[in-house]
mmCIF file of all heavy atoms in Angstrom:
data_model
loop_
_atom_site.group_PDB
_atom_site.id
_atom_site.type_symbol
_atom_site.label_atom_id
_atom_site.label_comp_id
_atom_site.label_asym_id
_atom_site.label_seq_id
_atom_site.Cartn_x
_atom_site.Cartn_y
_atom_site.Cartn_z
ATOM 1 N N THR A 72 0.844 -1.188 0.006
ATOM 2 C CA THR A 72 0.004 0.000 -0.009
ATOM 3 C C THR A 72 0.869 1.229 0.001
ATOM 4 O O THR A 72 2.116 1.165 -0.002
ATOM 5 C CB THR A 72 -0.920 0.004 1.223
ATOM 6 O OG1 THR A 72 -0.123 0.176 2.414
ATOM 7 C CG2 THR A 72 -1.704 -1.296 1.356
ATOM 8 N N ALA A 73 0.245 2.402 0.022
ATOM 9 C CA ALA A 73 0.993 3.661 0.076
ATOM 10 C C ALA A 73 1.775 3.799 1.375
ATOM 11 O O ALA A 73 2.753 4.532 1.450
ATOM 12 C CB ALA A 73 0.042 4.836 -0.099
ATOM 13 N N ASP A 74 1.330 3.082 2.407
ATOM 14 C CA ASP A 74 2.004 3.127 3.715
ATOM 15 C C ASP A 74 3.053 2.025 3.872
ATOM 16 O O ASP A 74 3.640 1.902 4.929
ATOM 17 C CB ASP A 74 0.979 3.013 4.840
ATOM 18 C CG ASP A 74 0.078 4.234 4.909
ATOM 19 O OD1 ASP A 74 0.557 5.330 4.572
ATOM 20 O OD2 ASP A 74 -1.113 4.091 5.285
ATOM 21 N N GLY A 75 3.216 1.185 2.862
ATOM 22 C CA GLY A 75 4.232 0.141 2.934
ATOM 23 C C GLY A 75 3.642 -1.252 2.795
ATOM 24 O O GLY A 75 2.536 -1.442 2.281
ATOM 25 N N ALA A 76 4.384 -2.230 3.307
ATOM 26 C CA ALA A 76 4.004 -3.624 3.169
ATOM 27 C C ALA A 76 3.026 -4.040 4.269
ATOM 28 O O ALA A 76 3.011 -3.475 5.363
ATOM 29 C CB ALA A 76 5.230 -4.524 3.212
ATOM 30 N N VAL A 77 2.212 -5.032 3.956
ATOM 31 C CA VAL A 77 1.270 -5.632 4.905
ATOM 32 C C VAL A 77 1.544 -7.111 4.970
ATOM 33 O O VAL A 77 1.499 -7.817 3.952
ATOM 34 C CB VAL A 77 -0.189 -5.377 4.482
ATOM 35 C CG1 VAL A 77 -1.162 -6.050 5.452
ATOM 36 C CG2 VAL A 77 -0.486 -3.871 4.441
ATOM 37 N N LEU A 78 1.873 -7.622 6.168
ATOM 38 C CA LEU A 78 2.177 -9.035 6.361
ATOM 39 C C LEU A 78 0.946 -9.756 6.913
ATOM 40 O O LEU A 78 0.224 -9.205 7.741
ATOM 41 C CB LEU A 78 3.337 -9.199 7.347
ATOM 42 C CG LEU A 78 4.665 -8.528 6.963
ATOM 43 C CD1 LEU A 78 5.720 -8.830 7.984
ATOM 44 C CD2 LEU A 78 5.115 -8.985 5.570
ATOM 45 N N ARG A 79 0.730 -10.961 6.431
ATOM 46 C CA ARG A 79 -0.434 -11.749 6.864
ATOM 47 C C ARG A 79 -0.002 -12.905 7.751
ATOM 48 O O ARG A 79 0.915 -13.657 7.420
ATOM 49 C CB ARG A 79 -1.216 -12.283 5.670
ATOM 50 C CG ARG A 79 -2.266 -13.335 6.034
ATOM 51 C CD ARG A 79 -3.307 -13.504 4.949
ATOM 52 N NE ARG A 79 -4.151 -12.324 4.814
ATOM 53 C CZ ARG A 79 -5.212 -12.252 4.016
ATOM 54 N NH1 ARG A 79 -5.544 -13.319 3.267
ATOM 55 N NH2 ARG A 79 -5.939 -11.146 3.928
ATOM 56 N N THR A 80 -0.697 -13.041 8.885
ATOM 57 C CA THR A 80 -0.544 -14.185 9.781
ATOM 58 C C THR A 80 -1.875 -14.916 9.839
ATOM 59 O O THR A 80 -2.934 -14.278 9.952
ATOM 60 C CB THR A 80 -0.146 -13.718 11.178
ATOM 61 O OG1 THR A 80 1.057 -12.958 11.113
ATOM 62 C CG2 THR A 80 0.051 -14.908 12.112
ATOM 63 N N THR A 81 -1.839 -16.231 9.761
ATOM 64 C CA THR A 81 -3.071 -17.006 9.701
ATOM 65 C C THR A 81 -2.995 -18.145 10.703
ATOM 66 O O THR A 81 -1.917 -18.642 11.031
ATOM 67 C CB THR A 81 -3.321 -17.566 8.292
ATOM 68 O OG1 THR A 81 -4.557 -18.274 8.266
ATOM 69 C CG2 THR A 81 -2.207 -18.476 7.866
ATOM 70 N N VAL A 82 -4.163 -18.560 11.215
ATOM 71 C CA VAL A 82 -4.243 -19.683 12.132
ATOM 72 C C VAL A 82 -5.584 -20.387 11.907
ATOM 73 O O VAL A 82 -6.619 -19.735 11.732
ATOM 74 C CB VAL A 82 -4.112 -19.217 13.595
ATOM 75 C CG1 VAL A 82 -5.143 -18.162 13.956
ATOM 76 C CG2 VAL A 82 -4.207 -20.413 14.566
ATOM 77 N N LYS A 83 -5.564 -21.692 11.845
ATOM 78 C CA LYS A 83 -6.759 -22.512 11.681
ATOM 79 C C LYS A 83 -7.204 -23.011 13.056
ATOM 80 O O LYS A 83 -6.424 -23.617 13.783
ATOM 81 C CB LYS A 83 -6.487 -23.699 10.771
ATOM 82 C CG LYS A 83 -7.714 -24.484 10.365
ATOM 83 C CD LYS A 83 -7.350 -25.569 9.346
ATOM 84 C CE LYS A 83 -8.567 -26.359 8.896
ATOM 85 N NZ LYS A 83 -8.196 -27.407 7.914
ATOM 86 N N THR A 84 -8.451 -22.716 13.413
ATOM 87 C CA THR A 84 -8.930 -22.994 14.753
ATOM 88 C C THR A 84 -10.362 -23.499 14.718
ATOM 89 O O THR A 84 -11.007 -23.501 13.679
ATOM 90 C CB THR A 84 -8.827 -21.709 15.614
ATOM 91 O OG1 THR A 84 -9.299 -21.991 16.933
ATOM 92 C CG2 THR A 84 -9.686 -20.615 15.017
ATOM 93 N N SER A 85 -10.846 -23.927 15.875
ATOM 94 C CA SER A 85 -12.241 -24.355 15.969
ATOM 95 C C SER A 85 -13.143 -23.140 15.902
ATOM 96 O O SER A 85 -12.751 -22.026 16.224
ATOM 97 C CB SER A 85 -12.473 -25.118 17.285
ATOM 98 O OG SER A 85 -12.120 -24.314 18.397
ATOM 99 N N THR A 86 -14.391 -23.369 15.479
ATOM 100 C CA THR A 86 -15.294 -22.245 15.263
ATOM 101 C C THR A 86 -15.604 -21.496 16.528
ATOM 102 O O THR A 86 -15.678 -20.249 16.525
ATOM 103 C CB THR A 86 -16.599 -22.745 14.629
ATOM 104 O OG1 THR A 86 -17.157 -23.785 15.471
ATOM 105 C CG2 THR A 86 -16.366 -23.296 13.252
ATOM 106 N N GLU A 87 -15.763 -22.206 17.632
ATOM 107 C CA GLU A 87 -16.128 -21.515 18.874
ATOM 108 C C GLU A 87 -14.969 -20.726 19.476
ATOM 109 O O GLU A 87 -15.182 -19.843 20.308
ATOM 110 C CB GLU A 87 -16.670 -22.518 19.906
ATOM 111 C CG GLU A 87 -15.650 -23.545 20.386
ATOM 112 C CD GLU A 87 -15.628 -24.786 19.488
ATOM 113 O OE1 GLU A 87 -16.238 -24.738 18.410
ATOM 114 O OE2 GLU A 87 -15.005 -25.776 19.899
ATOM 115 N N ALA A 88 -13.734 -21.021 19.048
ATOM 116 C CA ALA A 88 -12.565 -20.346 19.599
ATOM 117 C C ALA A 88 -11.998 -19.282 18.684
ATOM 118 O O ALA A 88 -11.013 -18.634 19.036
ATOM 119 C CB ALA A 88 -11.476 -21.352 19.942
ATOM 120 N N GLN A 89 -12.583 -19.082 17.514
ATOM 121 C CA GLN A 89 -11.960 -18.209 16.516
ATOM 122 C C GLN A 89 -11.822 -16.771 17.000
ATOM 123 O O GLN A 89 -10.807 -16.114 16.736
ATOM 124 C CB GLN A 89 -12.747 -18.271 15.212
ATOM 125 C CG GLN A 89 -14.210 -17.868 15.328
ATOM 126 C CD GLN A 89 -14.943 -17.978 14.000
ATOM 127 O OE1 GLN A 89 -14.517 -17.429 12.996
ATOM 128 N NE2 GLN A 89 -16.046 -18.712 13.972
ATOM 129 N N TRP A 90 -12.831 -16.243 17.711
ATOM 130 C CA TRP A 90 -12.749 -14.864 18.159
ATOM 131 C C TRP A 90 -11.766 -14.719 19.311
ATOM 132 O O TRP A 90 -11.009 -13.748 19.364
ATOM 133 C CB TRP A 90 -14.133 -14.367 18.561
ATOM 134 C CG TRP A 90 -15.066 -14.354 17.399
ATOM 135 C CD1 TRP A 90 -15.150 -13.394 16.420
ATOM 136 C CD2 TRP A 90 -16.031 -15.351 17.034
ATOM 137 N NE1 TRP A 90 -16.100 -13.732 15.478
ATOM 138 C CE2 TRP A 90 -16.665 -14.929 15.849
ATOM 139 C CE3 TRP A 90 -16.423 -16.545 17.622
ATOM 140 C CZ2 TRP A 90 -17.679 -15.673 15.229
ATOM 141 C CZ3 TRP A 90 -17.424 -17.308 17.013
ATOM 142 C CH2 TRP A 90 -18.027 -16.866 15.815
ATOM 143 N N ARG A 91 -11.745 -15.654 20.223
ATOM 144 C CA ARG A 91 -10.809 -15.617 21.336
ATOM 145 C C ARG A 91 -9.370 -15.722 20.852
ATOM 146 O O ARG A 91 -8.477 -14.968 21.275
ATOM 147 C CB ARG A 91 -11.122 -16.732 22.322
ATOM 148 C CG ARG A 91 -10.174 -16.821 23.507
ATOM 149 C CD ARG A 91 -10.613 -17.825 24.531
ATOM 150 N NE ARG A 91 -10.538 -19.221 24.014
ATOM 151 C CZ ARG A 91 -11.585 -19.935 23.671
ATOM 152 N NH1 ARG A 91 -12.809 -19.445 23.775
ATOM 153 N NH2 ARG A 91 -11.422 -21.181 23.243
ATOM 154 N N VAL A 92 -9.117 -16.659 19.942
ATOM 155 C CA VAL A 92 -7.786 -16.854 19.398
ATOM 156 C C VAL A 92 -7.346 -15.640 18.581
ATOM 157 O O VAL A 92 -6.211 -15.179 18.659
ATOM 158 C CB VAL A 92 -7.734 -18.133 18.531
ATOM 159 C CG1 VAL A 92 -6.441 -18.195 17.731
ATOM 160 C CG2 VAL A 92 -7.883 -19.360 19.409
ATOM 161 N N GLY A 93 -8.253 -15.063 17.800
ATOM 162 C CA GLY A 93 -7.932 -13.905 16.987
ATOM 163 C C GLY A 93 -7.536 -12.699 17.822
ATOM 164 O O GLY A 93 -6.549 -12.010 17.522
ATOM 165 N N ARG A 94 -8.277 -12.440 18.896
ATOM 166 C CA ARG A 94 -7.944 -11.302 19.760
ATOM 167 C C ARG A 94 -6.585 -11.499 20.450
ATOM 168 O O ARG A 94 -5.783 -10.554 20.533
ATOM 169 C CB ARG A 94 -9.055 -11.090 20.807
ATOM 170 C CG ARG A 94 -10.327 -10.495 20.244
ATOM 171 C CD ARG A 94 -11.254 -10.112 21.361
ATOM 172 N NE ARG A 94 -11.786 -11.300 22.047
ATOM 173 C CZ ARG A 94 -12.928 -11.876 21.733
ATOM 174 N NH1 ARG A 94 -13.670 -11.404 20.746
ATOM 175 N NH2 ARG A 94 -13.362 -12.941 22.406
ATOM 176 N N GLU A 95 -6.330 -12.705 20.941
ATOM 177 C CA GLU A 95 -5.072 -12.961 21.613
ATOM 178 C C GLU A 95 -3.888 -12.882 20.650
ATOM 179 O O GLU A 95 -2.817 -12.343 21.003
ATOM 180 C CB GLU A 95 -5.098 -14.336 22.270
ATOM 181 C CG GLU A 95 -3.840 -14.721 23.014
ATOM 182 C CD GLU A 95 -3.549 -13.832 24.209
ATOM 183 O OE1 GLU A 95 -4.463 -13.119 24.663
ATOM 184 O OE2 GLU A 95 -2.403 -13.844 24.694
ATOM 185 N N LEU A 96 -4.060 -13.388 19.439
ATOM 186 C CA LEU A 96 -2.979 -13.346 18.457
ATOM 187 C C LEU A 96 -2.676 -11.891 18.056
ATOM 188 O O LEU A 96 -1.509 -11.513 17.924
ATOM 189 C CB LEU A 96 -3.334 -14.176 17.233
ATOM 190 C CG LEU A 96 -2.261 -14.254 16.128
ATOM 191 C CD1 LEU A 96 -0.955 -14.786 16.674
ATOM 192 C CD2 LEU A 96 -2.765 -15.138 14.972
ATOM 193 N N ARG A 97 -3.714 -11.084 17.889
ATOM 194 C CA ARG A 97 -3.477 -9.667 17.560
ATOM 195 C C ARG A 97 -2.703 -8.968 18.679
ATOM 196 O O ARG A 97 -1.794 -8.170 18.421
ATOM 197 C CB ARG A 97 -4.824 -8.963 17.338
ATOM 198 C CG ARG A 97 -5.540 -9.391 16.071
ATOM 199 C CD ARG A 97 -6.794 -8.566 15.861
ATOM 200 N NE ARG A 97 -7.568 -9.070 14.740
ATOM 201 C CZ ARG A 97 -8.568 -9.944 14.842
ATOM 202 N NH1 ARG A 97 -8.914 -10.394 16.032
ATOM 203 N NH2 ARG A 97 -9.202 -10.347 13.782
ATOM 204 N N ARG A 98 -3.060 -9.284 19.920
ATOM 205 C CA ARG A 98 -2.355 -8.655 21.044
ATOM 206 C C ARG A 98 -0.875 -9.050 21.058
ATOM 207 O O ARG A 98 -0.008 -8.198 21.231
ATOM 208 C CB ARG A 98 -3.023 -9.072 22.366
ATOM 209 C CG ARG A 98 -2.416 -8.412 23.607
ATOM 210 C CD ARG A 98 -3.042 -8.956 24.857
ATOM 211 N NE ARG A 98 -2.676 -10.340 25.119
ATOM 212 C CZ ARG A 98 -1.509 -10.682 25.684
ATOM 213 N NH1 ARG A 98 -0.644 -9.755 26.062
ATOM 214 N NH2 ARG A 98 -1.234 -11.963 25.896
ATOM 215 N N ARG A 99 -0.601 -10.302 20.850
ATOM 216 C CA ARG A 99 0.779 -10.773 20.903
ATOM 217 C C ARG A 99 1.611 -10.225 19.750
ATOM 218 O O ARG A 99 2.786 -9.893 19.917
ATOM 219 C CB ARG A 99 0.826 -12.292 20.908
ATOM 220 C CG ARG A 99 0.149 -12.886 22.142
ATOM 221 C CD ARG A 99 0.568 -14.310 22.376
ATOM 222 N NE ARG A 99 -0.114 -14.893 23.531
ATOM 223 C CZ ARG A 99 0.341 -15.942 24.199
ATOM 224 N NH1 ARG A 99 1.467 -16.520 23.809
ATOM 225 N NH2 ARG A 99 -0.329 -16.415 25.232
ATOM 226 N N LEU A 100 1.028 -10.130 18.563
ATOM 227 C CA LEU A 100 1.758 -9.588 17.436
ATOM 228 C C LEU A 100 2.052 -8.102 17.651
ATOM 229 O O LEU A 100 3.154 -7.617 17.331
ATOM 230 C CB LEU A 100 0.967 -9.778 16.142
ATOM 231 C CG LEU A 100 0.741 -11.210 15.688
ATOM 232 C CD1 LEU A 100 -0.079 -11.247 14.396
ATOM 233 C CD2 LEU A 100 2.055 -11.963 15.501
ATOM 234 N N THR A 101 1.086 -7.380 18.210
ATOM 235 C CA THR A 101 1.284 -5.965 18.490
ATOM 236 C C THR A 101 2.396 -5.762 19.512
ATOM 237 O O THR A 101 3.270 -4.887 19.342
ATOM 238 C CB THR A 101 -0.014 -5.342 19.008
ATOM 239 O OG1 THR A 101 -1.059 -5.520 18.037
ATOM 240 C CG2 THR A 101 0.177 -3.847 19.264
ATOM 241 N N GLU A 102 2.393 -6.548 20.575
ATOM 242 C CA GLU A 102 3.423 -6.425 21.583
ATOM 243 C C GLU A 102 4.808 -6.796 21.049
ATOM 244 O O GLU A 102 5.812 -6.193 21.419
ATOM 245 C CB GLU A 102 3.072 -7.294 22.800
ATOM 246 C CG GLU A 102 1.861 -6.805 23.577
ATOM 247 C CD GLU A 102 1.555 -7.703 24.757
ATOM 248 O OE1 GLU A 102 2.162 -8.784 24.864
ATOM 249 O OE2 GLU A 102 0.693 -7.301 25.591
ATOM 250 N N ALA A 103 4.854 -7.799 20.151
ATOM 251 C CA ALA A 103 6.126 -8.192 19.569
ATOM 252 C C ALA A 103 6.713 -7.081 18.723
ATOM 253 O O ALA A 103 7.924 -6.800 18.783
ATOM 254 C CB ALA A 103 5.944 -9.467 18.737
ATOM 255 N N LEU A 104 5.891 -6.414 17.923
ATOM 256 C CA LEU A 104 6.365 -5.291 17.118
ATOM 257 C C LEU A 104 6.826 -4.134 17.992
ATOM 258 O O LEU A 104 7.790 -3.441 17.668
ATOM 259 C CB LEU A 104 5.258 -4.846 16.151
ATOM 260 C CG LEU A 104 4.861 -5.807 15.057
ATOM 261 C CD1 LEU A 104 3.690 -5.272 14.261
ATOM 262 C CD2 LEU A 104 6.033 -6.106 14.126
ATOM 263 N N GLU A 105 6.132 -3.942 19.108
ATOM 264 C CA GLU A 105 6.512 -2.853 20.017
ATOM 265 C C GLU A 105 7.852 -3.146 20.657
ATOM 266 O O GLU A 105 8.718 -2.266 20.760
ATOM 267 C CB GLU A 105 5.415 -2.700 21.084
ATOM 268 C CG GLU A 105 5.681 -1.572 22.076
ATOM 269 C CD GLU A 105 5.560 -0.199 21.433
ATOM 270 O OE1 GLU A 105 4.827 -0.086 20.439
ATOM 271 O OE2 GLU A 105 6.195 0.727 21.969
ATOM 272 N N ARG A 106 8.060 -4.387 21.133
ATOM 273 C CA ARG A 106 9.326 -4.734 21.778
ATOM 274 C C ARG A 106 10.498 -4.659 20.802
ATOM 275 O O ARG A 106 11.616 -4.291 21.182
ATOM 276 C CB ARG A 106 9.254 -6.136 22.367
ATOM 277 C CG ARG A 106 8.377 -6.243 23.602
ATOM 278 C CD ARG A 106 8.600 -7.566 24.301
ATOM 279 N NE ARG A 106 8.339 -8.696 23.422
ATOM 280 C CZ ARG A 106 7.174 -9.315 23.310
ATOM 281 N NH1 ARG A 106 6.123 -8.900 24.061
ATOM 282 N NH2 ARG A 106 7.010 -10.338 22.502
ATOM 283 N N ALA A 107 10.255 -5.012 19.554
ATOM 284 C CA ALA A 107 11.323 -4.994 18.543
ATOM 285 C C ALA A 107 11.633 -3.592 18.016
ATOM 286 O O ALA A 107 12.588 -3.410 17.265
ATOM 287 C CB ALA A 107 10.967 -5.910 17.364
ATOM 288 N N GLY A 108 10.831 -2.602 18.425
ATOM 289 C CA GLY A 108 11.055 -1.227 17.971
ATOM 290 C C GLY A 108 10.486 -0.925 16.618
ATOM 291 O O GLY A 108 10.671 0.189 16.105
ATOM 292 N N ILE A 109 9.801 -1.858 15.995
ATOM 293 C CA ILE A 109 9.220 -1.634 14.669
ATOM 294 C C ILE A 109 8.054 -0.680 14.731
ATOM 295 O O ILE A 109 7.867 0.152 13.831
ATOM 296 C CB ILE A 109 8.817 -2.970 14.033
ATOM 297 C CG1 ILE A 109 10.050 -3.856 13.822
ATOM 298 C CG2 ILE A 109 8.084 -2.760 12.714
ATOM 299 C CD1 ILE A 109 9.763 -5.221 13.238
ATOM 300 N N ALA A 110 7.273 -0.742 15.803
ATOM 301 C CA ALA A 110 6.142 0.186 15.955
ATOM 302 C C ALA A 110 6.629 1.623 16.014
ATOM 303 O O ALA A 110 6.027 2.531 15.434
ATOM 304 C CB ALA A 110 5.339 -0.168 17.196
ATOM 305 N N ALA A 111 7.754 1.855 16.682
ATOM 306 C CA ALA A 111 8.301 3.202 16.757
ATOM 307 C C ALA A 111 8.790 3.678 15.409
ATOM 308 O O ALA A 111 8.651 4.852 15.054
ATOM 309 C CB ALA A 111 9.456 3.236 17.780
ATOM 310 N N GLN A 112 9.353 2.769 14.624
ATOM 311 C CA GLN A 112 9.794 3.139 13.275
ATOM 312 C C GLN A 112 8.612 3.500 12.393
ATOM 313 O O GLN A 112 8.698 4.411 11.557
ATOM 314 C CB GLN A 112 10.574 1.971 12.650
ATOM 315 C CG GLN A 112 11.859 1.617 13.365
ATOM 316 C CD GLN A 112 12.581 0.469 12.707
ATOM 317 O OE1 GLN A 112 12.703 0.423 11.481
ATOM 318 N NE2 GLN A 112 13.042 -0.491 13.503
ATOM 319 N N LEU A 113 7.485 2.801 12.575
ATOM 320 C CA LEU A 113 6.291 3.132 11.793
ATOM 321 C C LEU A 113 5.811 4.537 12.120
ATOM 322 O O LEU A 113 5.426 5.307 11.255
ATOM 323 C CB LEU A 113 5.184 2.117 12.071
ATOM 324 C CG LEU A 113 5.413 0.698 11.542
ATOM 325 C CD1 LEU A 113 4.312 -0.215 12.013
ATOM 326 C CD2 LEU A 113 5.464 0.713 10.026
ATOM 327 N N THR A 114 5.814 4.880 13.414
ATOM 328 C CA THR A 114 5.367 6.214 13.838
ATOM 329 C C THR A 114 6.276 7.293 13.310
ATOM 330 O O THR A 114 5.831 8.339 12.827
ATOM 331 C CB THR A 114 5.280 6.294 15.368
ATOM 332 O OG1 THR A 114 4.446 5.245 15.848
ATOM 333 C CG2 THR A 114 4.751 7.615 15.810
ATOM 334 N N ALA A 115 7.594 7.028 13.357
ATOM 335 C CA ALA A 115 8.539 8.032 12.887
ATOM 336 C C ALA A 115 8.498 8.207 11.383
ATOM 337 O O ALA A 115 8.835 9.269 10.862
ATOM 338 C CB ALA A 115 9.952 7.630 13.306
ATOM 339 N N ALA A 116 8.074 7.173 10.672
ATOM 340 C CA ALA A 116 8.044 7.229 9.214
ATOM 341 C C ALA A 116 6.897 8.078 8.679
ATOM 342 O O ALA A 116 6.897 8.493 7.534
ATOM 343 C CB ALA A 116 7.969 5.833 8.624
ATOM 344 N N ARG A 117 5.893 8.334 9.535
ATOM 345 C CA ARG A 117 4.746 9.111 9.086
ATOM 346 C C ARG A 117 5.046 10.593 9.288
ATOM 347 O O ARG A 117 5.409 11.028 10.366
ATOM 348 C CB ARG A 117 3.488 8.720 9.853
ATOM 349 C CG ARG A 117 2.928 7.381 9.449
ATOM 350 C CD ARG A 117 1.625 7.107 10.147
ATOM 351 N NE ARG A 117 0.943 5.962 9.558
ATOM 352 C CZ ARG A 117 1.119 4.720 9.907
ATOM 353 N NH1 ARG A 117 2.021 4.449 10.832
ATOM 354 N NH2 ARG A 117 0.462 3.727 9.331
#
């Protein structure tokens, strides 16, 4: 996109757990980017 690359992460899960798993995975990916300093680079690039 105009803002750069978009990476996709996927997980196959049971139907009743899909929303719980999705929320937890989003949280962990966000925290990982923050710890690695990538989130700060995204902010500085704008």
Side-chain angles (χ1 to χ4, degrees):
T72 67
D74 293 328
V77 177
L78 301 182
R79 168 162 291 186
T80 303
T81 182
V82 56
K83 188 175 181 180
T84 180
S85 57
T86 55
E87 64 272 11
Q89 58 181 307
W90 296 280
R91 178 173 67 254
V92 169
R94 286 190 291 267
E95 180 64 17
L96 182 56
R97 291 185 186 94
R98 183 184 70 81
R99 297 199 181 202
L100 295 180
T101 302
E102 291 180 351
L104 293 175
E105 182 69 27
R106 288 193 302 268
I109 296 178
Q112 296 180 45
L113 290 175
T114 304
R117 286 185 168 87

